[in-house]
Coordinates of all heavy atoms in Angstrom, one line a residue:
D1 N 0.8 -1.2 0.0 CA 0.0 0.0 0.0 C 0.9 1.3 0.0 O 2.0 1.2 0.5 CB -0.9 0.0 1.2 CG -2.0 -1.0 1.2 OD1 -2.2 -1.6 0.1 OD2 -2.7 -1.2 2.2
I2 N 0.3 2.3 -0.6 CA 1.0 3.6 -0.6 C 0.0 4.7 -0.2 O -1.2 4.4 0.0 CB 1.6 3.9 -2.0 CG1 0.4 4.0 -3.1 CG2 2.6 3.0 -2.5 CD1 0.8 4.6 -4.4
I3 N 0.5 5.9 -0.1 CA -0.4 7.0 0.2 C -0.4 7.9 -1.0 O 0.6 8.2 -1.6 CB 0.1 7.8 1.4 CG1 0.1 7.0 2.7 CG2 -0.7 9.1 1.6 CD1 0.6 7.6 3.9
A4 N -1.6 8.2 -1.5 CA -1.8 9.1 -2.7 C -2.6 10.3 -2.3 O -3.5 10.3 -1.4 CB -2.6 8.3 -3.7
K5 N -2.3 11.4 -2.9 CA -2.9 12.7 -2.7 C -3.9 13.0 -3.8 O -3.5 12.9 -5.0 CB -1.8 13.8 -2.6 CG -2.4 15.2 -2.3 CD -1.3 16.2 -2.3 CE -1.8 17.6 -2.0 NZ -0.6 18.5 -1.9
F6 N -5.1 13.3 -3.5 CA -6.2 13.7 -4.4 C -5.8 15.1 -4.9 O -5.9 16.1 -4.1 CB -7.5 13.6 -3.8 CG -8.7 13.9 -4.7 CD1 -8.6 13.6 -6.1 CD2 -9.8 14.5 -4.2 CE1 -9.7 13.9 -6.9 CE2 -10.9 14.7 -5.0 CZ -10.8 14.5 -6.4
I7 N -5.5 15.3 -6.2 CA -5.0 16.5 -6.7 C -5.9 17.3 -7.6 O -5.7 18.5 -7.8 CB -3.5 16.4 -7.3 CG1 -3.5 15.4 -8.4 CG2 -2.5 16.0 -6.2 CD1 -2.2 15.3 -9.2
K8 N -6.8 16.5 -8.3 CA -7.6 17.2 -9.3 C -8.8 16.4 -9.7 O -8.7 15.2 -9.8 CB -6.7 17.4 -10.6 CG -7.4 18.2 -11.7 CD -6.4 18.4 -12.8 CE -7.0 18.5 -14.1 NZ -6.0 18.7 -15.2
K9 N -9.9 17.1 -9.9 CA -11.2 16.4 -10.4 C -11.5 17.2 -11.7 O -11.7 18.4 -11.7 CB -12.3 16.5 -9.4 CG -13.6 15.9 -9.7 CD -14.5 16.0 -8.6 CE -15.9 15.3 -8.9 NZ -16.8 15.4 -7.7
E10 N -11.6 16.4 -12.8 CA -11.9 17.0 -14.1 C -13.2 16.4 -14.7 O -13.2 15.2 -14.9 CB -10.7 16.8 -15.0 CG -10.9 17.3 -16.4 CD -9.7 16.9 -17.3 OE1 -9.3 15.8 -17.3 OE2 -9.2 17.9 -17.9
R11 N -14.1 17.3 -14.9 CA -15.4 16.8 -15.5 C -15.3 17.1 -17.0 O -15.1 18.2 -17.4 CB -16.6 17.5 -14.9 CG -16.9 17.1 -13.5 CD -18.2 17.7 -13.0 NE -18.5 17.2 -11.7 CZ -18.3 17.8 -10.5 NH1 -17.8 19.0 -10.5 NH2 -18.7 17.2 -9.4
I12 N -15.5 16.1 -17.7 CA -15.6 16.2 -19.2 C -16.9 15.5 -19.6 O -17.5 14.7 -18.9 CB -14.4 15.6 -19.9 CG1 -14.2 14.2 -19.6 CG2 -13.1 16.4 -19.5 CD1 -13.0 13.5 -20.3
P13 N -17.4 15.7 -20.8 CA -18.6 15.1 -21.3 C -18.6 13.6 -21.0 O -17.7 12.9 -21.4 CB -18.7 15.4 -22.7 CG -18.0 16.7 -22.9 CD -16.8 16.6 -21.9
K14 N -19.6 13.1 -20.3 CA -19.9 11.7 -20.1 C -19.0 11.0 -19.1 O -19.1 9.8 -18.9 CB -19.9 10.9 -21.4 CG -21.0 11.3 -22.4 CD -21.1 10.4 -23.5 CE -22.1 10.9 -24.5 NZ -22.3 10.0 -25.6
T15 N -18.0 11.7 -18.5 CA -17.1 11.1 -17.5 C -16.5 12.2 -16.6 O -16.5 13.3 -16.9 CB -16.0 10.2 -18.2 OG1 -15.4 9.4 -17.2 CG2 -15.0 11.1 -18.9
T16 N -16.0 11.7 -15.5 CA -15.2 12.5 -14.6 C -13.9 11.8 -14.3 O -13.9 10.6 -14.0 CB -16.0 12.7 -13.3 OG1 -17.3 13.3 -13.6 CG2 -15.2 13.6 -12.3
H17 N -12.8 12.5 -14.4 CA -11.5 12.0 -14.1 C -11.0 12.4 -12.7 O -11.2 13.6 -12.3 CB -10.4 12.4 -15.1 CG -10.7 11.9 -16.5 ND1 -10.7 10.6 -16.8 CD2 -10.9 12.5 -17.6 CE1 -10.9 10.4 -18.0 NE2 -11.0 11.6 -18.6
F18 N -10.5 11.5 -11.9 CA -10.0 11.8 -10.6 C -8.5 11.6 -10.6 O -8.0 10.4 -10.8 CB -10.6 10.9 -9.6 CG -12.1 11.1 -9.4 CD1 -13.0 10.4 -10.3 CD2 -12.6 11.9 -8.5 CE1 -14.3 10.6 -10.2 CE2 -14.0 12.1 -8.4 CZ -14.9 11.4 -9.3
Y19 N -7.7 12.6 -10.4 CA -6.2 12.6 -10.5 C -5.6 12.5 -9.1 O -6.0 13.2 -8.2 CB -5.7 13.8 -11.2 CG -6.0 13.9 -12.6 CD1 -7.2 14.4 -13.1 CD2 -5.0 13.5 -13.6 CE1 -7.5 14.5 -14.4 CE2 -5.3 13.6 -14.9 CZ -6.5 14.1 -15.3 OH -6.8 14.2 -16.7
F20 N -4.7 11.6 -8.9 CA -4.0 11.4 -7.7 C -2.5 11.4 -7.9 O -2.0 11.0 -9.0 CB -4.3 10.0 -7.0 CG -5.7 10.0 -6.4 CD1 -6.8 9.9 -7.1 CD2 -5.8 10.2 -5.0 CE1 -8.1 9.9 -6.5 CE2 -7.0 10.2 -4.4 CZ -8.2 10.0 -5.1
G21 N -1.7 12.0 -7.0 CA -0.3 12.0 -7.0 C 0.3 11.1 -5.9 O -0.3 11.0 -4.9
Y22 N 1.4 10.5 -6.2 CA 2.1 9.6 -5.2 C 3.5 9.4 -5.5 O 4.0 9.7 -6.6 CB 1.4 8.3 -5.1 CG 1.4 7.5 -6.4 CD1 2.3 6.5 -6.7 CD2 0.4 7.8 -7.4 CE1 2.3 5.9 -8.0 CE2 0.3 7.1 -8.6 CZ 1.3 6.2 -8.9 OH 1.3 5.5 -10.1
Y23 N 4.3 9.0 -4.5 CA 5.7 8.7 -4.7 C 6.0 7.2 -4.7 O 5.4 6.5 -3.9 CB 6.5 9.4 -3.6 CG 6.6 10.9 -3.7 CD1 5.7 11.7 -3.1 CD2 7.6 11.5 -4.4 CE1 5.7 13.1 -3.2 CE2 7.7 12.8 -4.6 CZ 6.8 13.6 -4.0 OH 6.8 15.0 -4.1
Y24 N 6.9 6.8 -5.6 CA 7.3 5.4 -5.6 C 8.8 5.5 -5.9 O 9.3 6.1 -6.9 CB 6.6 4.6 -6.6 CG 7.2 3.2 -6.8 CD1 7.1 2.3 -5.7 CD2 7.8 2.8 -7.9 CE1 7.6 1.0 -5.9 CE2 8.3 1.6 -8.1 CZ 8.2 0.7 -7.0 OH 8.8 -0.6 -7.1
N25 N 9.6 4.9 -5.0 CA 11.1 4.9 -5.1 C 11.7 6.3 -5.3 O 12.5 6.5 -6.1 CB 11.6 4.0 -6.3 CG 11.5 2.5 -5.9 OD1 11.5 2.2 -4.7 ND2 11.6 1.7 -6.9
G26 N 11.1 7.3 -4.6 CA 11.6 8.6 -4.7 C 11.1 9.4 -5.9 O 11.4 10.6 -6.0
K27 N 10.4 8.8 -6.8 CA 9.9 9.4 -8.0 C 8.4 9.7 -7.8 O 7.6 8.9 -7.4 CB 10.1 8.5 -9.2 CG 9.7 9.2 -10.5 CD 10.1 8.3 -11.7 CE 9.6 8.9 -13.0 NZ 9.7 8.0 -14.1
Y28 N 8.0 11.0 -8.3 CA 6.6 11.4 -8.2 C 5.9 11.0 -9.4 O 6.3 11.2 -10.5 CB 6.6 12.9 -8.0 CG 5.2 13.5 -7.8 CD1 4.5 13.3 -6.7 CD2 4.6 14.2 -8.9 CE1 3.2 13.8 -6.5 CE2 3.3 14.7 -8.7 CZ 2.6 14.5 -7.6 OH 1.4 15.0 -7.5
F29 N 4.7 10.5 -9.2 CA 3.8 10.1 -10.3 C 2.4 10.8 -10.1 O 2.0 11.0 -9.0 CB 3.5 8.6 -10.3 CG 4.7 7.7 -10.6 CD1 5.6 7.3 -9.6 CD2 4.8 7.2 -11.9 CE1 6.6 6.5 -9.9 CE2 5.9 6.4 -12.2 CZ 6.8 6.0 -11.2
E30 N 1.8 11.1 -11.2 CA 0.4 11.5 -11.2 C -0.4 10.6 -12.2 O 0.1 10.3 -13.3 CB 0.3 13.0 -11.7 CG 0.8 14.0 -10.7 CD 0.6 15.4 -11.1 OE1 0.0 15.7 -12.2 OE2 1.0 16.3 -10.3
T31 N -1.6 10.2 -11.8 CA -2.3 9.4 -12.6 C -3.8 9.6 -12.5 O -4.3 10.0 -11.4 CB -2.0 7.9 -12.4 OG1 -2.6 7.0 -13.3 CG2 -2.4 7.5 -11.0
L32 N -4.6 9.3 -13.5 CA -6.0 9.2 -13.4 C -6.5 7.8 -13.4 O -7.7 7.5 -13.2 CB -6.7 10.0 -14.5 CG -6.4 9.7 -15.9 CD1 -7.4 8.6 -16.4 CD2 -6.6 10.9 -16.8
R33 N -5.6 6.8 -13.5 CA -5.9 5.4 -13.4 C -5.9 5.0 -12.0 O -4.9 4.5 -11.5 CB -4.9 4.6 -14.3 CG -5.1 5.0 -15.8 CD -4.3 4.1 -16.7 NE -3.0 3.9 -16.3 CZ -2.0 3.7 -17.2 NH1 -2.2 3.7 -18.5 NH2 -0.8 3.4 -16.7
T34 N -7.0 5.3 -11.3 CA -7.0 5.1 -9.8 C -8.1 4.2 -9.3 O -8.2 4.0 -8.1 CB -7.3 6.5 -9.2 OG1 -8.5 7.0 -9.6 CG2 -6.2 7.5 -9.6
G35 N -8.9 3.7 -10.2 CA -10.0 2.8 -9.8 C -11.2 3.6 -9.3 O -12.2 3.0 -8.9
I36 N -11.1 4.9 -9.3 CA -12.2 5.8 -8.8 C -13.0 6.2 -10.1 O -12.4 6.9 -11.0 CB -11.7 7.0 -8.1 CG1 -10.9 6.7 -6.9 CG2 -12.8 8.0 -7.7 CD1 -11.6 6.1 -5.7
K37 N -14.3 5.9 -10.1 CA -15.1 6.3 -11.2 C -16.6 6.2 -10.9 O -17.0 5.4 -10.0 CB -14.8 5.5 -12.5 CG -15.2 4.1 -12.4 CD -14.8 3.3 -13.6 CE -15.1 1.8 -13.4 NZ -14.8 1.0 -14.6
Y38 N -17.3 7.1 -11.5 CA -18.8 7.0 -11.3 C -19.3 5.9 -12.3 O -18.8 5.9 -13.4 CB -19.4 8.4 -11.7 CG -19.2 9.4 -10.7 CD1 -18.5 10.6 -11.0 CD2 -19.8 9.3 -9.4 CE1 -18.4 11.6 -10.0 CE2 -19.6 10.3 -8.4 CZ -18.9 11.5 -8.8 OH -18.7 12.4 -7.9
S39 N -20.2 5.1 -11.8 CA -20.7 4.0 -12.6 C -22.1 3.7 -12.1 O -22.4 3.8 -10.9 CB -19.8 2.8 -12.5 OG -20.4 1.7 -13.1
I40 N -22.9 3.3 -13.1 CA -24.3 2.8 -12.7 C -24.2 1.6 -11.8 O -25.2 1.2 -11.1 CB -25.2 2.7 -13.9 CG1 -24.6 1.6 -14.8 CG2 -25.4 4.0 -14.6 CD1 -25.6 1.2 -15.9
T41 N -23.1 0.9 -11.8 CA -23.0 -0.3 -11.0 C -22.5 0.0 -9.6 O -22.4 -0.9 -8.8 CB -22.0 -1.4 -11.7 OG1 -20.7 -0.8 -11.8 CG2 -22.5 -1.8 -13.1
N42 N -22.1 1.2 -9.3 CA -21.7 1.6 -8.0 C -22.8 1.5 -7.0 O -24.0 1.9 -7.4 CB -21.1 3.0 -7.9 CG -19.7 3.1 -8.5 OD1 -19.2 2.2 -9.0 ND2 -19.2 4.4 -8.5
S43 N -22.6 1.1 -5.8 CA -23.6 1.1 -4.8 C -23.8 2.6 -4.4 O -22.9 3.4 -4.7 CB -23.2 0.3 -3.6 OG -22.1 0.8 -2.9
D44 N -24.8 2.8 -3.6 CA -25.0 4.2 -3.1 C -23.9 4.6 -2.2 O -23.4 5.7 -2.2 CB -26.4 4.3 -2.3 CG -27.6 4.2 -3.2 OD1 -27.4 4.5 -4.4 OD2 -28.7 3.9 -2.7
E45 N -23.4 3.6 -1.4 CA -22.2 3.9 -0.5 C -21.0 4.3 -1.3 O -20.3 5.2 -1.0 CB -22.0 2.7 0.4 CG -20.8 2.9 1.3 CD -20.6 1.7 2.2 OE1 -21.4 0.8 2.4 OE2 -19.4 1.6 2.7
E46 N -20.7 3.5 -2.4 CA -19.5 3.8 -3.2 C -19.7 5.2 -3.8 O -18.7 6.0 -3.8 CB -19.4 2.8 -4.4 CG -18.9 1.5 -3.9 CD -19.0 0.5 -5.0 OE1 -20.0 0.3 -5.7 OE2 -17.9 -0.2 -5.3
T47 N -20.8 5.6 -4.3 CA -21.0 6.9 -4.9 C -20.9 8.0 -3.9 O -20.2 9.0 -4.1 CB -22.4 7.0 -5.6 OG1 -22.5 6.0 -6.6 CG2 -22.7 8.4 -6.2
K48 N -21.4 7.7 -2.7 CA -21.2 8.7 -1.6 C -19.7 8.9 -1.2 O -19.3 10.0 -1.0 CB -22.0 8.3 -0.3 CG -22.0 9.3 0.8 CD -22.7 8.8 2.0 CE -24.2 9.2 1.8 NZ -25.0 9.0 3.1
L49 N -19.0 7.8 -1.1 CA -17.5 7.9 -0.9 C -16.8 8.7 -1.9 O -16.0 9.6 -1.6 CB -16.9 6.5 -0.7 CG -17.2 5.8 0.5 CD1 -16.7 4.3 0.4 CD2 -16.6 6.4 1.7
I50 N -17.2 8.5 -3.2 CA -16.5 9.3 -4.3 C -16.9 10.7 -4.2 O -16.1 11.6 -4.3 CB -16.9 8.7 -5.6 CG1 -16.3 7.3 -5.8 CG2 -16.5 9.6 -6.8 CD1 -16.8 6.5 -7.0
D51 N -18.2 11.0 -3.9 CA -18.6 12.4 -3.8 C -17.9 13.1 -2.6 O -17.8 14.3 -2.7 CB -20.1 12.5 -3.6 CG -20.9 12.2 -4.8 OD1 -20.4 12.3 -5.9 OD2 -22.1 11.8 -4.7
N52 N -17.5 12.4 -1.6 CA -16.9 13.0 -0.4 C -15.4 13.1 -0.5 O -14.8 13.5 0.5 CB -17.4 12.2 0.8 CG -18.8 12.5 1.2 OD1 -19.4 13.5 0.9 ND2 -19.5 11.5 1.8
L53 N -14.8 12.7 -1.6 CA -13.3 12.8 -1.7 C -13.0 14.3 -1.6 O -13.7 15.1 -2.2 CB -12.8 12.3 -3.1 CG -12.8 10.8 -3.2 CD1 -12.5 10.5 -4.7 CD2 -11.7 10.2 -2.4
E54 N -11.9 14.6 -0.9 CA -11.5 16.0 -0.6 C -10.2 16.3 -1.4 O -9.2 15.6 -1.2 CB -11.3 16.3 0.8 CG -12.6 16.1 1.6 CD -12.4 16.3 3.1 OE1 -11.5 17.2 3.5 OE2 -13.1 15.7 3.9
L55 N -10.2 17.4 -2.2 CA -9.0 17.8 -2.9 C -7.9 18.0 -1.8 O -8.2 18.5 -0.7 CB -9.3 19.0 -3.7 CG -9.9 18.8 -5.0 CD1 -10.2 20.2 -5.7 CD2 -9.0 18.0 -6.0
N56 N -6.7 17.7 -2.2 CA -5.5 17.9 -1.4 C -5.5 17.0 -0.1 O -4.8 17.3 0.8 CB -5.3 19.4 -1.0 CG -5.0 20.2 -2.3 OD1 -4.2 19.8 -3.2 ND2 -5.7 21.3 -2.4
S57 N -6.3 16.0 -0.1 CA -6.3 15.0 1.0 C -5.6 13.8 0.6 O -5.5 13.5 -0.6 CB -7.8 14.7 1.5 OG -8.4 15.9 2.0
F58 N -5.3 13.0 1.6 CA -4.5 11.8 1.3 C -5.3 10.5 1.6 O -6.0 10.5 2.6 CB -3.2 11.8 2.2 CG -2.3 13.0 1.9 CD1 -2.5 14.2 2.5 CD2 -1.3 12.9 1.0 CE1 -1.7 15.3 2.3 CE2 -0.5 14.0 0.7 CZ -0.7 15.2 1.3
Y59 N -5.1 9.5 0.8 CA -5.8 8.2 0.9 C -4.9 7.1 0.7 O -3.9 7.2 0.0 CB -6.9 8.2 -0.2 CG -7.9 9.3 0.0 CD1 -7.8 10.5 -0.6 CD2 -9.1 9.1 0.8 CE1 -8.7 11.6 -0.4 CE2 -10.0 10.1 1.0 CZ -9.8 11.3 0.4 OH -10.7 12.3 0.6
I60 N -5.2 5.9 1.3 CA -4.5 4.7 1.0 C -4.8 4.2 -0.4 O -6.0 4.2 -0.8 CB -4.9 3.6 2.1 CG1 -4.4 4.0 3.5 CG2 -4.3 2.2 1.7 CD1 -2.9 4.0 3.7
A61 N -3.8 3.6 -1.0 CA -4.0 3.1 -2.4 C -3.2 1.8 -2.5 O -2.1 1.6 -1.9 CB -3.6 4.0 -3.5
K62 N -3.8 0.8 -3.2 CA -3.1 -0.4 -3.6 C -2.1 -0.1 -4.7 O -2.4 0.7 -5.6 CB -4.0 -1.5 -4.0 CG -5.0 -2.0 -3.0 CD -4.3 -2.9 -2.1 CE -5.3 -3.5 -1.1 NZ -4.7 -3.9 0.1
F63 N -0.9 -0.7 -4.7 CA 0.1 -0.4 -5.7 C 0.7 -1.7 -6.1 O 1.0 -2.6 -5.3 CB 1.2 0.5 -5.0 CG 2.3 0.9 -5.9 CD1 2.1 1.9 -6.9 CD2 3.5 0.2 -5.9 CE1 3.2 2.2 -7.7 CE2 4.5 0.5 -6.7 CZ 4.4 1.5 -7.6
N64 N 1.0 -1.8 -7.4 CA 1.7 -3.0 -8.0 C 2.9 -2.4 -8.7 O 2.7 -1.7 -9.7 CB 0.7 -3.7 -8.9 CG 1.4 -4.9 -9.6 OD1 2.6 -5.0 -9.7 ND2 0.5 -5.9 -9.9
E65 N 4.1 -2.8 -8.3 CA 5.3 -2.2 -8.9 C 5.4 -2.6 -10.3 O 6.2 -1.9 -11.1 CB 6.5 -2.6 -8.1 CG 6.8 -4.1 -8.0 CD 8.0 -4.4 -7.1 OE1 8.1 -3.7 -6.1 OE2 8.8 -5.3 -7.5
N66 N 4.7 -3.6 -10.8 CA 4.8 -3.9 -12.3 C 4.0 -2.9 -13.1 O 4.2 -2.8 -14.3 CB 4.3 -5.3 -12.5 CG 5.1 -6.4 -11.9 OD1 6.4 -6.3 -11.9 ND2 4.5 -7.4 -11.4
Y67 N 3.1 -2.2 -12.5 CA 2.3 -1.2 -13.2 C 2.2 0.1 -12.3 O 1.2 0.5 -11.8 CB 0.8 -1.7 -13.4 CG 0.8 -3.0 -14.1 CD1 0.7 -4.2 -13.3 CD2 0.9 -3.1 -15.4 CE1 0.6 -5.4 -14.0 CE2 0.9 -4.3 -16.1 CZ 0.8 -5.5 -15.4 OH 0.7 -6.7 -16.0
P68 N 3.4 0.8 -12.3 CA 3.5 2.0 -11.4 C 2.6 3.2 -11.8 O 2.4 4.0 -10.9 CB 5.0 2.3 -11.4 CG 5.4 1.8 -12.7 CD 4.6 0.5 -13.0
E69 N 2.0 3.2 -13.0 CA 1.2 4.3 -13.4 C -0.3 4.0 -13.0 O -1.1 4.9 -13.3 CB 1.3 4.5 -14.9 CG 2.6 5.0 -15.3 CD 3.6 3.8 -15.6 OE1 3.1 2.7 -15.7 OE2 4.8 4.0 -15.6
S70 N -0.6 2.9 -12.4 CA -2.0 2.5 -12.0 C -2.0 2.2 -10.5 O -1.2 1.5 -10.0 CB -2.5 1.3 -12.8 OG -2.5 1.6 -14.2
I71 N -3.0 2.8 -9.9 CA -3.2 2.5 -8.4 C -4.7 2.3 -8.2 O -5.5 2.6 -9.1 CB -2.7 3.6 -7.5 CG1 -3.4 4.9 -7.9 CG2 -1.2 3.8 -7.6 CD1 -3.0 6.1 -6.9
I72 N -5.0 1.7 -7.1 CA -6.4 1.5 -6.7 C -6.6 2.2 -5.4 O -6.2 1.8 -4.3 CB -6.8 0.0 -6.6 CG1 -6.5 -0.8 -7.8 CG2 -8.3 -0.1 -6.1 CD1 -7.3 -0.3 -9.1
V73 N -7.2 3.4 -5.5 CA -7.4 4.2 -4.3 C -8.6 3.7 -3.5 O -9.7 3.4 -4.1 CB -7.6 5.7 -4.7 CG1 -8.0 6.6 -3.5 CG2 -6.4 6.2 -5.4
N74 N -8.5 3.7 -2.2 CA -9.6 3.4 -1.3 C -10.2 4.7 -0.7 O -9.6 5.3 0.2 CB -9.1 2.5 -0.2 CG -10.2 2.0 0.7 OD1 -11.3 2.6 0.8 ND2 -10.0 0.9 1.5
P75 N -11.3 5.1 -1.2 CA -11.9 6.4 -0.8 C -12.4 6.4 0.6 O -12.6 7.5 1.2 CB -13.0 6.7 -1.8 CG -13.4 5.3 -2.3 CD -12.2 4.5 -2.3
S76 N -12.4 5.3 1.3 CA -12.9 5.2 2.7 C -11.7 5.3 3.6 O -11.9 5.3 4.8 CB -13.7 4.0 2.9 OG -12.9 2.8 2.8
M77 N -10.5 5.3 3.1 CA -9.3 5.3 3.9 C -8.5 6.6 3.8 O -7.4 6.6 3.3 CB -8.4 4.1 3.5 CG -9.0 2.7 3.7 SD -9.1 2.2 5.4 CE -7.4 2.1 5.9
K78 N -9.1 7.6 4.3 CA -8.4 8.9 4.4 C -7.3 8.9 5.4 O -7.5 8.4 6.5 CB -9.4 10.0 4.6 CG -8.9 11.4 4.6 CD -10.0 12.5 4.7 CE -9.4 13.9 4.8 NZ -10.4 14.9 5.0
I79 N -6.2 9.5 5.1 CA -5.0 9.6 6.0 C -4.8 11.0 6.5 O -4.8 11.9 5.6 CB -3.7 9.1 5.3 CG1 -3.9 7.6 4.8 CG2 -2.5 9.2 6.2 CD1 -4.2 6.6 5.9
T80 N -4.7 11.2 7.8 CA -4.4 12.5 8.3 C -3.2 12.6 9.2 O -2.8 13.6 9.6 CB -5.6 13.0 9.2 OG1 -5.8 12.0 10.2 CG2 -6.9 13.1 8.4
D81 N -2.5 11.4 9.4 CA -1.3 11.4 10.1 C -0.1 12.0 9.4 O 0.4 11.5 8.4 CB -0.9 9.9 10.4 CG 0.3 9.7 11.3 OD1 1.2 10.5 11.2 OD2 0.3 8.7 12.0
T82 N 0.3 13.2 9.8 CA 1.3 14.0 9.1 C 2.7 13.2 9.0 O 3.3 13.4 8.0 CB 1.5 15.4 9.7 OG1 1.9 15.2 11.1 CG2 0.3 16.2 9.5
L83 N 3.0 12.5 10.0 CA 4.3 11.7 9.9 C 4.2 10.7 8.9 O 5.2 10.5 8.1 CB 4.6 11.1 11.3 CG 5.0 12.1 12.4 CD1 5.2 11.4 13.7 CD2 6.2 12.9 12.0
L84 N 3.1 10.0 8.8 CA 2.9 9.0 7.8 C 2.9 9.6 6.4 O 3.6 9.0 5.4 CB 1.6 8.2 8.0 CG 1.4 6.9 7.2 CD1 2.5 5.9 7.4 CD2 0.0 6.4 7.6
I85 N 2.3 10.7 6.2 CA 2.2 11.4 4.9 C 3.7 11.9 4.5 O 4.1 11.6 3.4 CB 1.3 12.6 5.0 CG1 -0.2 12.1 5.1 CG2 1.4 13.5 3.8 CD1 -1.2 13.2 5.5
K86 N 4.4 12.5 5.4 CA 5.8 12.9 5.1 C 6.7 11.7 4.8 O 7.5 11.8 3.9 CB 6.3 13.7 6.3 CG 5.8 15.1 6.4 CD 6.4 15.8 7.6 CE 5.9 17.2 7.7 NZ 6.5 18.0 8.8
S87 N 6.5 10.6 5.5 CA 7.4 9.4 5.3 C 7.1 8.8 3.9 O 7.9 8.0 3.4 CB 7.2 8.4 6.4 OG 5.9 7.8 6.3
S88 N 5.9 9.1 3.3 CA 5.6 8.6 2.0 C 6.1 9.5 0.9 O 5.9 9.3 -0.3 CB 4.1 8.3 1.8 OG 3.4 9.5 1.9
G89 N 6.8 10.6 1.2 CA 7.5 11.4 0.2 C 6.9 12.8 0.1 O 7.5 13.7 -0.6
F90 N 5.8 13.1 0.7 CA 5.1 14.4 0.6 C 5.7 15.4 1.6 O 6.1 15.0 2.7 CB 3.6 14.3 0.8 CG 2.9 13.6 -0.3 CD1 2.6 12.2 -0.2 CD2 2.5 14.2 -1.5 CE1 2.0 11.5 -1.2 CE2 1.9 13.5 -2.5 CZ 1.6 12.1 -2.3
S91 N 5.7 16.7 1.2 CA 5.9 17.7 2.1 C 4.7 18.6 2.1 O 3.8 18.5 1.3 CB 7.1 18.6 1.7 OG 6.8 19.4 0.6
F92 N 4.5 19.4 3.1 CA 3.3 20.2 3.2 C 3.5 21.5 2.5 O 2.6 22.4 2.6 CB 2.9 20.4 4.7 CG 2.3 19.1 5.2 CD1 3.1 18.2 5.9 CD2 1.0 18.8 5.0 CE1 2.6 17.0 6.3 CE2 0.5 17.6 5.4 CZ 1.3 16.7 6.1
D93 N 4.5 21.7 1.7 CA 4.7 22.8 0.8 C 4.1 22.5 -0.5 O 4.0 23.4 -1.4 CB 6.2 23.1 0.6 CG 6.9 23.5 1.9 OD1 6.2 24.0 2.9 OD2 8.1 23.2 2.0
E94 N 3.7 21.3 -0.8 CA 3.1 20.9 -2.1 C 1.7 21.3 -2.3 O 0.9 21.3 -1.4 CB 3.2 19.4 -2.3 CG 4.7 18.9 -2.3 CD 4.8 17.4 -2.4 OE1 4.2 16.9 -3.4 OE2 5.4 16.8 -1.6

């Protein structure tokens, strides 16, 4: 697992993209391949969690080193521990 920062929400016709940033091996990545998406198959709870994502907040994400540009963010696992956030590569100047 890694910590990812919700950095941007972009609404375009017929879809919404959710961008997250994260560090892996000291390198910063940004991706919209996060597993977060609006879908008619989402439960009401899933949709509510997506709606409640906060910009510039941090969340736990699954990471596979074979596919470093793709993560699976858990919108119910918001991280507020500043030591944990800093140890994952972020500074609070970002």
Side-chain angles (χ1 to χ4, degrees):
D1 289 350
I2 60 168
I3 295 178
K5 182 179 181 180
F6 182 32
I7 57 173
K8 181 175 153 184
K9 182 176 181 179
E10 178 182 49
R11 289 188 174 101
I12 59 175
K14 299 187 181 186
T15 193
T16 302
H17 294 300
F18 297 87
Y19 291 84
F20 283 79
Y22 57 97
Y23 287 91
Y24 174 66
N25 282 343
K27 183 177 178 187
Y28 181 73
F29 292 85
E30 288 184 2
T31 187
L32 59 85
R33 297 188 313 211
T34 62
I36 302 287
K37 64 181 176 181
Y38 287 116
S39 171
I40 60 171
T41 61
N42 285 0
S43 69
D44 289 341
E45 182 180 336
E46 287 173 306
T47 299
K48 184 181 271 190
L49 285 170
I50 292 169
D51 287 340
N52 290 330
L53 286 170
E54 296 178 33
L55 279 174
N56 298 313
S57 291
F58 299 87
Y59 297 87
I60 293 289
K62 295 279 184 206
F63 179 81
N64 181 334
E65 63 185 37
N66 294 323
Y67 306 98
E69 296 85 18
S70 297
I71 59 174
I72 304 296
V73 174
N74 184 339
S76 67
M77 298 288 295
K78 185 176 175 182
I79 302 298
T80 58
D81 182 331
T82 56
L83 293 176
L84 192 57
I85 292 167
K86 285 182 179 182
S87 71
S88 66
F90 291 97
S91 73
F92 286 94
D93 299 332
E94 297 179 54

